[in-house]
Amino acid sequence: MCKYSSICSRCQYEIQVFAEQQNMNDVNVKIATDCPNVQPIARIPISLDAIYEMTVPKEKSKFYNLLDLQHLKEGCTLYDNVMNAIGKNLGRYYELA
């Protein structure tokens, strides 16, 4: 499991992302923050194909489209935080595999 923490440049709330690799592709992501804009996303379980998310353009990303539904694209650093957590977690997973 990888824990990634940062401060959002838009709202100045701390965002913590927990990424746990389930197998070579699947990753479960949990988000913890006090930001009221992110709460709808933080409450739901998020399961992604880590390799797909890391390799496609952001506009084709499943997670980016989820942010779009919540109107969080403009200035919110949540997408970048989650991608950083997934990338670090993938690196650790493949080092151990």
Side-chain angles (χ1 to χ4, degrees):
M1 175 184 279
C2 175
K3 177 182 172 187
Y4 187 85
S5 182
S6 72
I7 303 295
C8 180
S9 60
R10 176 183 184 193
C11 63
Q12 302 304 309
Y13 282 102
E14 180 180 20
I15 298 172
Q16 294 182 338
V17 179
F18 303 90
E20 185 172 7
Q21 205 69 28
Q22 298 302 301
N23 55 40
M24 291 179 70
N25 286 8
D26 301 322
V27 63
N28 290 335
V29 175
K30 294 181 185 174
I31 300 165
T33 184
D34 290 331
C35 177
N37 298 321
V38 177
Q39 288 306 313
I41 293 173
R43 289 188 208 125
I44 61 173
I46 301 170
S47 183
L48 302 168
D49 181 331
I51 295 173
Y52 177 81
E53 292 293 318
M54 295 299 296
T55 57
V56 298
K58 129 184 337 191
E59 293 76 21
K60 292 185 179 182
S61 163
K62 178 182 171 184
F63 185 69
Y64 189 75
N65 289 323
L66 179 63
L67 295 181
D68 190 28
L69 293 174
Q70 298 297 322
H71 308 289
L72 289 175
K73 293 188 331 184
E74 295 300 319
C76 181
T77 57
L78 182 59
Y79 175 80
D80 294 329
N81 294 340
V82 168
M83 291 304 110
N84 287 337
I86 290 173
K88 286 185 177 193
N89 194 56
L90 270 175
R92 290 180 182 168
Y93 181 81
Y94 280 103
E95 281 179 14
L96 297 174

